[in-house]
Amino acid sequence: MHFDLTDEQKMIQQTLKEFADEVVAPGAIERDKTKEFPLKVFKQLSEMGMMGLPFPEVYGGAGADTISFAIVTEELSRVCASTGITYSAHISLGGAPLNLFGTEEQKQKYLVPICKGESFGAFGLTEPNAGSDAGGTETSAKLANGQFTINGSKVFITNASYAKHLALTAITNIEKGKKEISAVIVPTDTQGFTIKADYDKMGLNASNTTELILDNVVVPEGNLLGVRGNGFKQFLTTLDGGRIGIAAMAVGIAQGAFNKAVKYSKQRRQFGKALAEFQATQFKLADMAVKIELARTFVYKAAWLKDQGRSFGKEAAIAKYFASEMAMEVCDEAIQIHGGYGYMKEYEVERFLRDAKLLEIGEGTSEVQKMVIARHILQQ
């Protein structure tokens, strides 16, 4: 097995590490307080060619691989998870379904603006009564005279306030009690489409989390994404890729908390010596480092399998489950090493913990990941 990053991946990693430290990190505490969306950061990422990173160059992307996407997501999340989740969702949830299932015309019209950073990518799946049970979708899209009329609502949707269009799931038919769920592309400025962004969240405060309300929203039949009735299947495929992004976020958050814990343990003195000299602290740091390294390695494995065109659903679920749980553990230990200062916002580790919690919930809870993993095991 070959574990070295390619020269291109190393270059992306170094470039994003410097960008994260010099541009993203300085405003992270303030953005967490004010909940200001990092538009200026993403304008610069767009100028760097990062907004369409893994998509084909013909659509304005960079033609890079999934490992590169994971690296960028990790580096951004290492200093500001709000920026990390915005980027991850933009690529893996907003752009990916268009790239995977869109017609050539749809890609030119909807994927190109995402790759160029002219629109943020977003994805409408979760509903008030359809979270882990996405099959509980209630939003409907009725076809008549060559047009879909969509009614319903979506919740916890990332980036929608800054998206010019998004794909969402809706019931296009019900036969013998069975729902036919399809994916439809909806421009966000369509009449009857309302976006609310007034959630008061535990963490990820600078990311854009919205509610979508669709009241007789009309779009052409040509806005159907992929095959009618395959919407649920398409979005499950999309989530497999999205879980790599969430896992990469978790690695980044954990790395950021770990870095601060190491630095603090060397500086803070108690009983006449630095915390880092105590074996209790050393053991904590060793456990944290092991967990981070294992999670990162498995994120890269899942990403590599995806890039090889091989089955990666089980590996993505394992990476997402392990990395998200690991991030919470590492952040908790980072706070413990900081002692009372870890509870203070200026030391940032408490923010890392608040931000990490969502990763055990979004794009399939930890419990759902175990269901997915078990299903793969039993099918083998």
Side-chain angles (χ1 to χ4, degrees):
M1 297 181 73
H2 190 67
F3 284 94
D4 286 336
L5 297 177
T6 65
D7 289 342
E8 182 181 358
Q9 290 163 350
K10 288 177 183 176
M11 182 184 70
I12 289 172
Q13 186 178 56
Q14 184 59 35
T15 300
L16 263 293
K17 183 180 186 304
E18 293 172 1
F19 179 79
D21 289 337
E22 297 169 10
V23 178
V24 185
I29 293 176
E30 187 64 20
R31 285 193 299 271
D32 180 57
K33 289 179 182 177
T34 64
K35 304 181 181 181
E36 181 184 359
F37 188 75
L39 264 180
K40 292 179 181 178
V41 170
F42 280 97
K43 186 176 186 300
Q44 289 179 259
L45 283 170
S46 180
E47 291 168 355
M48 293 163 65
M50 293 294 162
M51 297 300 274
L53 186 67
F55 302 124
E57 294 179 22
V58 67
Y59 304 118
D65 58 11
T66 310
I67 292 175
S68 297
F69 157 69
I71 288 169
V72 174
T73 302
E74 177 187 335
E75 288 300 329
L76 293 173
S77 302
R78 179 176 55 80
V79 298
C80 176
S82 290
T83 303
I85 197 169
T86 301
Y87 182 79
S88 181
H90 169 80
I91 297 287
S92 64
L93 300 184
L98 294 169
N99 186 53
L100 287 169
F101 310 112
T103 63
E104 182 61 27
E105 183 181 354
Q106 288 171 341
K107 289 177 184 179
Q108 291 292 344
K109 188 173 182 179
Y110 300 115
L111 182 57
V112 169
I114 285 175
C115 290
K116 290 183 176 180
E118 296 168 358
S119 172
F120 280 81
F123 159 101
L125 177 64
T126 306
E127 298 187 7
N129 295 313
S132 295
D133 177 20
T137 298
E138 295 175 353
T139 296
S140 65
K142 296 182 179 178
L143 182 62
N145 302 318
Q147 294 180 318
F148 285 112
T149 300
I150 308 171
N151 285 282
S153 62
K154 302 286 181 179
V155 294
F156 311 142
I157 308 304
T158 304
N159 293 346
S161 295
Y162 299 89
K164 293 182 179 179
H165 46 76
L166 53 83
L168 56 80
T169 47
I171 301 166
T172 46
N173 192 30
I174 299 179
E175 192 169 328
K176 296 180 181 178
K178 187 176 181 181
K179 297 176 182 177
E180 175 191 80
I181 298 177
S182 304
V184 183
I185 303 167
V186 183
T188 54
D189 62 357
T190 307
Q191 186 175 352
F193 195 164
T194 303
I195 300 173
K196 292 183 178 181
D198 50 11
Y199 289 117
D200 193 8
K201 300 177 293 185
M202 173 181 176
L204 299 169
N205 286 321
S207 68
N208 176 242
T209 310
T210 69
E211 178 183 3
L212 313 180
I213 300 168
L214 299 102
D215 182 12
N216 289 323
V217 171
V218 178
V219 299
E221 184 179 1
N223 280 32
L224 177 72
L225 178 63
V227 178
R228 178 168 172 165
N230 276 11
F232 187 57
K233 185 188 297 184
Q234 292 167 191
F235 276 66
L236 286 178
T237 301
T238 300
L239 285 174
D240 281 341
R243 285 166 183 159
I244 295 174
I246 291 290
M249 269 192 72
V251 172
I253 291 173
Q255 186 69 57
F258 175 76
N259 290 350
K260 290 187 179 297
V262 170
K263 182 179 179 180
Y264 183 82
S265 72
K266 291 179 178 179
Q267 296 172 340
R268 175 69 166 169
R269 298 186 67 81
Q270 292 286 277
F271 305 104
K273 57 183 179 179
L275 288 183
E277 295 180 53
F278 290 96
Q279 192 177 63
T281 304
Q282 293 171 3
F283 280 9
K284 284 182 184 293
L285 293 172
D287 284 340
M288 294 159 78
V290 167
K291 291 172 183 176
I292 293 168
E293 288 295 336
L294 289 172
R296 180 181 291 114
T297 299
F298 216 85
V299 169
Y300 287 0
K301 178 178 180 179
W304 180 83
L305 287 170
K306 183 175 186 290
D307 289 332
Q308 300 303 310
R310 293 165 61 178
S311 174
F312 68 97
K314 182 182 77 172
E315 288 75 14
I318 291 174
K320 197 269 188 190
Y321 168 57
F322 180 75
S324 61
E325 300 272 322
M326 172 278 299
M328 284 295 289
E329 293 168 7
V330 167
C331 291
D332 185 46
E333 286 287 38
I335 292 172
Q336 195 70 14
I337 289 171
H338 278 75
Y341 291 105
Y343 208 68
M344 302 298 143
K345 292 194 173 183
E346 67 181 287
Y347 283 80
E348 299 191 86
V349 284
E350 64 82 35
R351 186 184 84 241
F352 286 118
L353 181 72
R354 287 188 288 109
D355 290 346
K357 184 58 193 175
L358 186 276
L359 308 186
E360 295 181 316
I361 301 169
E363 294 194 41
T365 61
S366 291
E367 292 76 15
V368 166
Q369 300 314 310
K370 287 191 273 190
M371 289 166 57
V372 172
I373 295 163
R375 185 171 67 244
H376 280 286
I377 292 168
L378 295 171
Q379 285 175 349
Q380 287 178 349

